[in-house]
Amino acid sequence: MDFSPTQEQRQIQEMVAEFVDEEVKPRAAEIDDTDEFPWDLVEQMAELGLMGMPIPEEYGGAELDYHSYAMALEEISRGSGGLGTIVAAHISLACNMIYEFGDESQKETYLTPLAEGEEIGAFALSEAGAGSDVPAMDTTAEPIEGGDAYLVNGGKLWISNGSVADTVVLFAKTDPEAGNKGISSFIVRPEEDDGFIVEGTEHKLGDKGCPTAELRFDDMRLPADRRLGEEGRGFVHALKTLNGGRITIAARGVGIAQAALDEALRYAQDREQFDQPISDFQAIQHKLADMDTKTQAARLLMHQAADKKMAGDSFVKEAAQAKLYASEVSREVANEGIQIHGGYGYTKDFPVERFYRDAKLNEIYEGTSEVLRNTIASELLD
């Protein structure tokens, strides 16, 4: 087993890390304070080829392997958790859906501008009454005009990038009586499709800068050629896409944990009490040791899942374990970072409280920790 990154992977990581240190970290507090979508940073990432990292070059992407992609997303999330979500939702969900299940025309028309970073993508699956229970969705897509189009009605909730997206991958029931076999997936163009309505965005605990939107569809007409794959395959599409997406949410968790560890190390060596740096105290040293150990373990689980995916092996359990562990570790490490900072950690004068707020989301979206434990157990018992 070789755990060393290749020269190319290391170069990519160093390039993204430099961009994050120079451009993202100085802006992170501002993004958190204003909660505005960082268009300029997204444009810079597009210029660096970071908005279509694993997508093949023929469709505008950088064709990076999944190790490189995860490492890059880890670095982006180290700078800003919100920016990490923007990129993960755009690539792992929207881009990958079209790449995996779209036809050539759909890839050329809709995937290429997404992968090139000219447009932003979103993934509309969740609803107010259908979070973990996907088949409980109420949104419908009724065939009309002899099967040449669909009429979509319903709404979606918790949609990352939903209010700024140029392309939205939408899931709706084409056969409401068929359960999970009656769900289909579609490409929606908000600026072109009448009946697409952004109801608003959520005021969240963290993950600022990435708008989480509520969407509504009122008699929205979609041409039949916007459907991805066959009717009734949407549930399978969603599961496969979310499985790959969990690797990148693990990367987001690792990045946030690393940021919290970095700040705690810096502060512990600068802060003096009783005439010595607090890093001299064994209690602080043990905290730092545990924080680093957990972060490293989460990183290895992330790469194990990426390796399985690249090899074409089943990686359902590995992706669930990586996402579950990295999510909980990010919160735990961020919490210890606050504790090491003491009273200062509870203020906005230091970034550690932001890491804690950003970390909590990892345990909720793209599969809650409870659902992931069910998934892991099911894989073990199958």
Side-chain angles (χ1 to χ4, degrees):
M1 291 179 286
D2 183 5
F3 296 105
S4 301
T6 65
Q7 182 177 0
E8 181 182 2
Q9 290 168 342
R10 192 182 300 279
Q11 288 174 341
I12 291 166
Q13 183 179 35
E14 290 174 353
M15 180 268 287
V16 179
E18 182 179 358
F19 167 73
V20 168
D21 288 337
E22 293 182 359
E23 303 294 339
V24 179
K25 288 182 67 176
R27 291 278 306 286
E30 175 194 339
I31 294 170
D32 184 67
D33 185 53
T34 64
D35 199 15
E36 293 181 357
F37 190 85
W39 288 106
D40 59 326
L41 292 178
V42 171
E43 290 174 2
Q44 291 180 63
M45 288 192 294
E47 292 174 0
L48 293 171
L50 302 180
M51 297 304 288
M53 286 183 270
I55 304 301
E57 292 179 358
E58 63 182 302
Y59 301 119
E63 206 163 334
L64 299 185
D65 65 81
Y66 240 73
H67 288 297
S68 298
Y69 175 36
M71 291 161 71
L73 192 55
E74 176 190 331
E75 292 295 338
I76 293 168
S77 302
R78 179 176 62 83
S80 167
L83 195 59
T85 299
I86 289 170
V87 177
H90 169 82
I91 297 177
S92 297
L93 302 184
C95 287
N96 276 347
M97 269 291 297
I98 300 174
Y99 175 64
E100 291 291 341
F101 308 112
D103 59 32
E104 282 303 310
S105 176
Q106 290 169 335
K107 291 176 184 178
E108 291 175 5
T109 305
Y110 306 112
L111 176 58
T112 299
L114 290 174
E116 290 177 345
E118 295 178 2
E119 297 185 352
I120 300 297
F123 180 88
L125 178 66
S126 297
E127 299 183 7
S132 298
D133 184 9
V134 172
M137 70 171 61
D138 291 325
T139 299
T140 59
E142 180 184 355
I144 59 172
E145 300 174 11
D148 292 335
Y150 292 86
L151 199 63
V152 180
N153 284 282
K156 297 293 180 179
L157 198 60
W158 320 118
I159 309 307
S160 299
N161 297 340
S163 61
V164 298
D166 301 281
T167 292
V168 177
V169 175
L170 172 68
F171 296 84
K173 286 185 174 179
T174 45
D175 185 353
E177 305 302 319
N180 62 28
K181 294 182 180 180
I183 298 170
S184 301
S185 55
F186 302 86
I187 295 170
V188 177
R189 299 286 289 175
E191 292 298 318
E192 303 171 18
D193 300 329
D194 292 337
F196 182 98
I197 300 164
V198 177
E199 293 280 41
T201 55
E202 303 296 335
H203 298 286
K204 301 173 295 183
L205 176 70
D207 199 46
K208 302 298 182 71
C210 179
T212 301
E214 179 180 357
L215 308 177
R216 191 175 86 244
F217 319 106
D218 288 347
D219 287 337
M220 182 177 69
R221 183 185 178 281
L222 292 180
D225 62 9
R226 297 271 203 84
R227 191 186 69 231
L228 288 165
E230 301 175 1
E231 273 195 8
R233 296 291 293 172
F235 184 69
V236 174
H237 293 173
L239 291 184
K240 288 183 176 179
T241 302
L242 289 170
N243 191 39
R246 285 168 183 161
I247 298 173
T248 49
I249 300 306
R252 182 182 185 272
V254 172
I256 292 172
Q258 187 64 57
L261 173 60
D262 291 345
E263 290 297 326
L265 280 166
R266 183 179 301 109
Y267 183 83
Q269 294 173 86
D270 290 341
R271 172 68 166 167
E272 292 190 358
Q273 289 284 270
F274 306 103
D275 297 323
Q276 58 185 316
I278 63 172
S279 59
D280 286 353
F281 295 107
Q282 190 180 62
I284 300 298
Q285 292 175 0
H286 284 185
K287 288 183 183 297
L288 294 170
D290 288 344
M291 291 163 73
D292 185 59
T293 301
K294 290 178 178 179
T295 302
Q296 295 290 354
R299 184 176 285 116
L300 288 172
L301 282 173
M302 174 189 78
H303 282 296
Q304 175 183 248
D307 209 56
K308 286 272 190 178
K309 177 176 171 59
M310 290 170 57
D313 299 333
S314 173
F315 61 99
V316 173
K317 178 168 72 77
E318 288 76 12
Q321 289 175 325
K323 197 270 188 184
L324 170 66
Y325 189 72
S327 295
E328 297 189 346
V329 158
S330 65
R331 172 181 49 79
E332 293 168 3
V333 171
N335 181 64
E336 288 289 51
I338 292 175
Q339 194 69 17
I340 287 173
H341 279 70
Y344 288 114
Y346 202 66
T347 72
K348 288 184 177 291
D349 294 333
F350 290 82
V352 287
E353 59 84 31
R354 184 179 79 244
F355 302 149
Y356 186 86
R357 290 186 287 106
D358 284 347
K360 181 57 191 173
L361 181 60
N362 291 329
E363 297 176 280
I364 299 172
Y365 69 171
E366 293 196 37
T368 65
S369 293
E370 291 76 15
V371 166
L372 293 180
R373 285 185 165 88
N374 290 344
T375 299
I376 294 165
S378 176
E379 289 291 308
L380 289 170
L381 295 169
D382 187 4

